[in-house]
Amino acid sequence: GAVVARMETKLVRGDLAGALEESKVLPVQTRGLAKEWFEAAEQRRDADAAIRNLINAALAAISAERPKQ
């Protein structure tokens, strides 16, 4: 239906978090049919967020170490 189409559009655009957010309106039974996919997608979303946080922390540390000119 329409929800799955919006999820697909977000996935094509690389917006996994948005697709997962969109999926929240799916009936529980429907989500249950793809339980493994949702679990893997949520793990990937969380891993992506952790990587972004690590990169930002590393960049902030590098920036703090650079001598001011």
Side-chain angles (χ1 to χ4, degrees), residues 45-59:
R45 178 204 54 209
D46 296 346
D48 287 347
I51 290 168
R52 276 192 308 277
N53 289 337
L54 286 172
I55 290 170
N56 289 337
L59 291 173

Side-chain angles (χ1 to χ4, degrees), residues 8-66:
E8 288 177 341
T9 298
K10 289 178 188 270
L11 289 171
V12 167
R13 294 180 180 162
D15 184 7
L16 179 58
L20 287 169
E21 187 65 30
E22 198 68 55
S23 76
K24 289 181 178 179
V25 299
L26 289 172
V28 173
Q29 184 179 10
T30 302
R31 283 184 57 91
L33 295 173
K35 181 182 177 195
E36 291 175 3
W37 183 90
F38 283 109
E39 288 172 353
E42 288 166 353
Q43 289 174 354
R44 172 63 188 263
R45 178 204 54 209
D46 296 346
D48 287 347
I51 290 168
R52 276 192 308 277
N53 289 337
L54 286 172
I55 290 170
N56 289 337
L59 291 173
I62 290 168
S63 177
E65 291 176 7
R66 290 173 61 189

